[in-house]
Amino acid sequence: MNNVKNEYNKRLSEIELYFDTLALLDNGNCTINCVDIIGNEVSKVVDTKLSTILKANGFLLLYNLVEATISNSIQAVFASIHSSQMAYDELTNEIRRMWIRQEIKHSNMNDVLFNILDKVVNHQFLLFRKDSVNISGNIDAQKIRDISKQFGCRQISDGRDLCTIKDKRNNLAHGDFTFSEIGQSYSMSDLMNFKNSVESYLTNVMNEFELFINKNGYSATNSTY
C-alpha cells in the first residue's frame, strides 16, 4: 500500500496547491500579471465567471482523487494475492466469487467451467484482471462499501460528501450543466470542506485495505482479520 499512499499524497498535494491558488483568485478583484517570451507584459483580470469555472473544476480534481485511490487500493490487493500465488481453495469465498464473476465476464460459459475446474483440480494460483471490479464514473461512499464487502474488507461508514462530488463530476462530464453553473453554487469554504471530508474518508479506507493486505484477509485459513 506504500505506492497507493504515495500516489494519493501526490494527487492531494496537487489539489491543495490548486485550492490555495483559487482561494486567492476568489478573494475579490484579482489581476494576473505575466511577461511573455519576448518580454511583453500581459495582464488578465480574473472576473467572477472565471472564478466560478475554476471552482467547478475542483470537483473533477476531487473525484479523480477518489477514483484513483480506490482503483489503486484494489490493485494492491490483487498484487498481494498474485505474489502469494494462492489457489482457488486457499482464498475466501468473497475472493472466489470475485474471480468467478471475472471469468464469466471475459469468457463463454464452457470456457468458464473448464477454467474453474482446471484451476481447482490442478491447484493453480488465480490471476485477477485490472477491470475485475468496475468503478469508472460511479465511485461514492456506498460504492466503496460495496467494493469492500466484495473483498470481505471492513466497511467505512459515512462519507456522504463523496456522493455530491460524484454527482457534480458526472454533471460536468455528461454536459448536464456548465462549469459556471456548477461553480456558482459553491464557495471556496464549501470546496475546502469537501476536500477535508474526502481526505479523512480515504485515509480510513486506505488503512482498512492496508490492514486487510497485511493480515492476508483474502486467505481462507486466516482467522485474525
Side-chain angles (χ1 to χ4, degrees):
M1 286 291 291
N2 286 336
N3 289 339
V4 176
K5 291 186 175 182
N6 288 339
E7 183 65 23
Y8 164 82
N9 288 328
K10 183 174 73 174
R11 292 173 186 268
L12 181 62
S13 66
E14 291 176 354
I15 293 173
E16 290 173 341
L17 176 62
Y18 182 84
F19 280 11
D20 287 346
T21 303
L22 182 54
L24 294 175
L25 301 180
D26 192 53
N27 196 29
N29 294 328
C30 183
T31 303
I32 299 175
N33 295 312
C34 304
V35 177
D36 64 21
I37 58 175
I38 60 175
N40 295 323
E41 292 188 3
V42 181
S43 63
K44 169 68 178 179
V45 176
V46 180
D47 57 19
T48 302
K49 184 174 182 179
L50 177 56
S51 179
T52 57
I53 292 171
L54 295 173
K55 280 190 288 186
N57 193 61
F59 286 105
L60 300 183
L61 293 172
L62 288 171
Y63 182 82
N64 179 269
L65 174 68
V66 174
E67 184 168 303
T69 302
I70 300 305
S71 178
N72 291 338
S73 296
I74 290 170
Q75 298 312 311
V77 176
F78 289 159
S80 184
I81 295 173
H82 294 165
S83 66
S84 300
Q85 296 191 348
M86 301 186 76
Y88 183 88
D89 59 308
E90 296 174 311
L91 296 165
T92 61
N93 288 333
E94 290 87 353
I95 302 300
R96 294 176 190 177
R97 292 190 189 100
M98 185 178 295
W99 179 74
I100 290 173
R101 285 194 296 268
Q102 168 192 280
E103 296 304 295
I104 291 173
K105 178 180 178 182
H106 290 281
S107 306
N108 62 54
M109 189 53 66
N110 288 333
D111 288 340
V112 168
L113 294 175
F114 176 81
N115 287 337
I116 292 174
L117 289 173
D118 187 46
K119 291 289 192 298
V120 173
V121 171
N122 295 304
H123 200 65
Q124 299 178 24
F125 69 89
L126 305 188
L127 292 175
F128 288 85
R129 298 171 184 264
K130 187 173 183 179
D131 62 350
S132 294
V133 180
N134 182 26
I135 63 174
S136 181
N138 294 302
I139 285 291
D140 56 19
Q142 184 56 54
K143 180 67 173 178
I144 294 171
R145 284 189 282 272
D146 291 342
I147 292 170
S148 298
K149 184 177 181 180
Q150 288 181 49
F151 279 98
C153 183
R154 278 193 285 264
Q155 302 162 49
I156 304 299
S157 59
D158 202 8
R160 67 196 70 181
D161 287 335
L162 272 68
C163 187
T164 300
I165 292 168
K166 178 198 71 174
D167 289 343
K168 299 309 174 186
R169 177 266 182 190
N170 287 342
N171 288 155
L172 293 168
H174 301 151
D176 299 328
F177 297 95
T178 67
F179 278 71
S180 55
E181 287 172 335
I182 295 290
Q184 68 186 0
S185 300
Y186 296 93
S187 65
M188 275 309 304
S189 177
D190 294 329
L191 289 179
M192 289 301 299
N193 288 336
F194 282 132
K195 194 271 295 183
N196 293 336
S197 178
V198 166
E199 184 177 0
S200 175
Y201 190 81
L202 289 181
T203 297
N204 289 331
V205 170
M206 286 189 293
N207 288 339
E208 283 301 330
F209 271 99
E210 184 172 43
L211 182 64
F212 182 79
I213 291 171
N214 290 342
K215 290 186 173 292
N216 298 326
Y218 44 80
S219 172
T221 60
N222 180 26
S223 59
T224 61
Y225 178 75

